[in-house]
Amino acid sequence: MLVVHSAIRGVSDALEDLVRTARDGDGSEALAFTKARHIKLADELDLNGEALLATNFDELDRLSAGLALTGDASPRLHARILCQGELMATTLGAPGSTRSAAIANGWTPGLR
């Protein structure tokens, strides 16, 4: 079975805003929206979003802080930030039936 996830509605736009606003010095609003949107969905799915997404949240924190410091959004950095939307959606979508099937078959989120 192959399961493909897109980012949650509104998240790709928020991550684009994060790149733009962090480059200008403060991406905190877009970052907070992105985290809150995923935590809300995790709660609706009865999942521990904070635990499941801690690595992704840490990565976004580091990337946005670096972007704020340098003001340089290279295509590679831009892509690393944007791909977090798909990775987080995949992480939340994997528990349950798809995760149990995926573990037996080697579940691997994209870019990892």
Side-chain angles (χ1 to χ4, degrees), residues 1-4 14 17-18 22 24 42 51 57 78-79 84 95 97 100 108:
M1 169 184 2
L2 174 66
V3 177
V4 178
D17 286 344
L18 175 61
D24 294 338
F57 290 169
H78 193 162
Q84 292 302 313
S97 63
S100 62
T108 304

Side-chain angles (χ1 to χ4, degrees), residues 30-43 50 57:
L31 186 57
F33 171 84
T34 300
K35 290 179 179 182
R37 181 69 181 95
H38 285 87
I39 294 301
K40 181 178 186 283
L41 178 59
D43 288 346
E50 291 284 348
F57 290 169

Side-chain angles (χ1 to χ4, degrees), residues 54-75:
T55 301
N56 302 93
F57 290 169
D58 289 347
E59 176 82 355
L60 283 172
D61 288 339
R62 284 191 305 275
L63 293 172
S64 63
L67 184 52
L69 286 171
T70 66
D72 181 22
S74 69

Side-chain angles (χ1 to χ4, degrees), residues 10-23 27 30-31 34 60 67 73 78-79 81-83:
V11 169
S12 292
D13 289 339
L15 291 171
E16 287 284 2
D17 286 344
L18 175 61
V19 171
R20 182 181 43 78
T21 57
R23 183 177 51 222
L31 186 57
T34 300
L60 283 172
L67 184 52
H78 193 162
I81 290 172
L82 286 168
C83 78

